[in-house]
Amino acid sequence: MKITGKKELIEIILEEIKKRGGISFKDFMDFALYYPSLGYYTSEKEKIGGYGDFFTSSELDPVFGQLLAKQFNEIYEKHFKDKKITIVEIGSGKGLLAYDILNEIKTKYPEFYDNVQFISIEKSTYHIDIQKQLLADFNVRWLEDLENLENIEGIIYSNELFDALPVHLIKKEKGKIYQLYLIEKSGEIQEDFRPASKEILEYLEELNIDIPEGMITEVNLLAKDLIQKIGEKLKKGFVFTIDYGYPSKELYKPYRMKGTLLCYYKHTYNENYYQNVGLQDITSHVNFSALVYYGKKSGLEFTGFTDQAHFLINLGLSDIMMELQEKGDYKSYERINRLKTLILPKGMGEKFKILIQHKNVENPDLTGLSILPPQNDRYKIEGV
Ligand SMILES: C[S@@+](CC[C@H](N)C(=O)[O-])C[C@H]1O[C@@H](n2cnc3c(N)ncnc32)[C@H](O)[C@@H]1O
């Protein structure tokens, strides 16, 4: 099997494979995405946007951040009025969503703004440098690791963070679960399925996941640790997780026999994780049932699970579109089309989900959850 991409990074990976007698797929993905200054996210390369490899909602239009700010203001008014509140974004990338949220809070909700402390937690120092320029007008503090965050009261949110965490690849064969390793044989890299680790088997058992025979799919143990840590850091408030993915019941349906792991490179996707190493993004769908289950272990209660379309419409997107329609000029017409992209079924509107959890909050009702999508396997989280 041939590995292509950044030469220096590939040499480091090969060296590690030789030294350890093989590395798990998760460790390979960790090297490919996060190896200091050589990984996809840690190196100086445009990733998000037209010159990058993929778009995020905030790249298209500020409305996503504006309506999130509206939702956050409701939380401030109901649960934190006249008190200091901390908003934390984890994995803020270029900082566009943070910019849209802070800009909206500052202009529309000045009293809320005066009480907000904003913290951006970003593992990539390349992205922190970009954020420092973009967010220079706001009161923001930066951290590289959630571990260094003090306990807070307020809101912790992320957008497309959990899908970017390195995952294990597992396979079921003759009823037994195996996990993928990369090994070296006569100077060549090869895939090697070994019996799955105790942690992986425990995860499958705790979540009641029984994948079909022959299926290859992902197990995201870092997501389990991360959501638990988020719950530990939050003393009172809400957690918003925005990402693509499903509850377990949908995620392991037989029509996903090859799992959900995909690579993004210059706005095209492929399934060859071993090409363009360090130059392409590798992502997998989020198991939202796992976030609910493990969140509970650190006191996070389930508030609701919805998709981007319902969330944005509940918060007033239709009114914004109506106002633009009434204006009737070309610029407004163009913007309406962009806004439609955010809510199209089968597109971003359904693909992106929003899981909301809360801790030590009474009456956690939120406008963004007032009308929910149909409660089928794609939206119904087991055990809530
Ligand atoms: C796909 S980008 C998300 C972009 C951004 N949230 C947006 O809306 O445009 C994922 C980001 O998460 C960061 N990241 C990954 N793991 C992290 C972790 N454990 N803590 C903080 N940031 C992390 C990556 O460096 C990257 O900047």
Side-chain angles (χ1 to χ4, degrees):
M1 189 173 71
K2 194 154 172 52
I3 298 195
T4 66
K6 277 188 198 159
K7 230 174 142 247
E8 206 183 333
L9 181 58
I10 293 171
E11 271 164 21
I12 292 168
I13 294 172
L14 286 177
E15 211 34 58
E16 207 57 30
I17 290 176
K18 281 186 199 158
K19 207 166 79 191
R20 292 200 235 158
I23 60 171
S24 67
F25 182 83
K26 179 211 145 229
D27 286 347
F28 163 75
M29 190 167 159
D30 201 14
F31 277 108
L33 297 184
Y34 299 108
Y35 194 85
S37 65
L38 289 172
Y40 176 74
Y41 279 110
T42 39
S43 55
E44 295 194 9
K45 174 188 179 286
E46 181 97 32
K47 300 146 190 112
I48 312 167
Y51 297 108
D53 305 299
F54 58 90
F55 281 112
T56 59
S57 295
S58 36
E59 199 81 28
L60 269 181
D61 194 276
V63 81
F64 189 66
Q66 288 165 352
L67 292 175
L68 258 180
K70 186 174 178 184
Q71 182 61 91
F72 291 174
N73 182 56
E74 182 184 74
I75 290 173
Y76 167 74
E77 290 287 330
K78 264 178 80 178
H79 304 285
F80 293 93
K81 184 85 180 149
D82 295 329
K83 293 202 188 91
K84 293 287 169 208
I85 167 169
T86 303
I87 301 181
V88 180
E89 176 168 359
I90 312 178
S92 353
K94 281 165 42 178
L96 278 181
L97 183 59
Y99 178 89
D100 293 338
I101 291 173
L102 282 165
N103 197 35
E104 184 75 353
I105 296 178
K106 195 172 182 178
T107 34
K108 272 233 179 106
Y109 315 107
E111 185 211 301
F112 175 25
Y113 187 76
D114 285 344
N115 283 308
V116 165
Q117 161 184 224
F118 192 97
I119 300 173
S120 167
I121 303 181
E122 173 52 64
K123 189 170 175 162
S124 158
T125 47
Y126 164 69
H127 277 160
I128 289 186
D129 289 344
I130 296 177
Q131 289 176 32
K132 282 190 171 162
Q133 288 178 30
L134 183 69
L135 304 175
D137 289 343
F138 306 105
N139 176 18
V140 178
R141 190 150 67 84
W142 279 270
L143 296 173
E144 281 177 43
D145 196 329
L146 176 63
E147 207 65 69
N148 304 331
L149 179 72
E150 64 276 19
N151 291 341
I152 65 122
E153 295 198 353
I155 297 161
I156 302 181
Y157 75 92
S158 66
N159 183 37
E160 296 200 47
L161 164 68
F162 283 86
D163 73 78
L165 299 177
V167 291
H168 288 285
L169 274 187
I170 61 159
K171 172 166 96 169
K172 188 172 185 180
E173 206 175 275
K174 295 196 182 117
K176 232 181 134 191
I177 301 291
Y178 295 86
Q179 72 178 105
L180 182 61
Y181 270 76
L182 296 187
I183 54 165
E184 189 247 2
K185 250 189 193 163
S186 345
E188 272 243 321
I189 298 298
Q190 288 185 9
E191 291 188 331
D192 182 30
F193 277 96
R194 299 179 181 175
S197 67
K198 195 168 135 268
E199 288 82 4
I200 291 177
L201 295 177
E202 251 169 36
Y203 175 95
L204 296 174
E205 199 181 312
E206 282 177 328
L207 293 175
N208 235 337
I209 297 170
D210 183 17
I211 61 171
E213 177 69 22
M215 176 179 269
I216 295 185
T217 190
E218 311 85 30
V219 164
N220 194 338
L221 294 181
L222 291 178
K224 162 187 165 176
D225 296 342
L226 186 57
I227 196 69
Q228 276 182 218
K229 206 158 284 163
I230 289 173
E232 284 160 20
K233 296 288 181 186
L234 185 73
K235 290 297 138 197
K236 172 189 167 179
F238 288 84
V239 179
F240 285 65
T241 304
I242 306 152
D243 220 317
Y244 37 88
Y246 296 109
S248 287
K249 207 163 178 192
E250 176 65 30
L251 204 51
Y252 309 111
K253 288 243 157 99
Y255 48 74
R256 287 199 186 83
M257 286 305 276
K258 283 163 74 186
T260 67
L261 200 69
L262 278 183
C263 308
Y264 287 89
Y265 184 64
K266 298 193 171 113
H267 296 279
T268 58
Y269 66 85
N270 68 77
E271 289 176 14
N272 190 346
Y273 329 119
Y274 309 121
Q275 74 182 16
N276 297 319
V277 172
L279 299 167
Q280 69 179 6
D281 193 14
I282 312 176
T283 83
S284 69
H285 279 41
V286 175
N287 182 332
F288 284 101
S289 307
L291 300 192
V292 171
Y293 181 85
Y294 291 111
K296 271 192 198 150
K297 299 215 178 270
S298 54
L300 296 179
E301 292 176 62
F302 177 77
T303 322
F305 182 58
T306 187
D307 60 24
Q308 181 166 298
H310 282 79
F311 185 73
L312 295 180
I313 290 168
N314 285 337
L315 284 163
L317 185 67
S318 319
D319 299 338
I320 296 175
M321 287 169 88
M322 209 96 86
E323 276 168 32
L324 291 168
Q325 199 125 33
E326 270 161 28
K327 274 193 186 165
D329 58 302
Y330 188 68
K331 254 187 150 175
S332 304
Y333 167 79
E334 273 190 327
R335 186 161 187 225
I336 290 175
N337 279 337
R338 280 203 305 277
L339 298 185
K340 276 186 190 159
T341 315
L342 290 177
I343 51 168
L344 276 182
K346 308 281 166 230
M348 285 177 113
E350 263 182 18
K351 182 178 170 190
F352 283 94
K353 308 293 192 319
I354 299 158
L355 169 68
I356 308 177
Q357 292 156 292
H358 63 273
K359 188 169 178 181
N360 294 326
V361 169
E362 292 200 357
N363 302 325
D365 306 346
L366 298 174
T367 301
L369 294 171
S370 47
I371 297 175
L372 292 173
Q375 294 299 288
N376 53 31
D377 288 350
R378 291 178 168 237
Y379 293 98
K380 183 88 194 76
I381 306 261
E382 302 84 352
V384 296

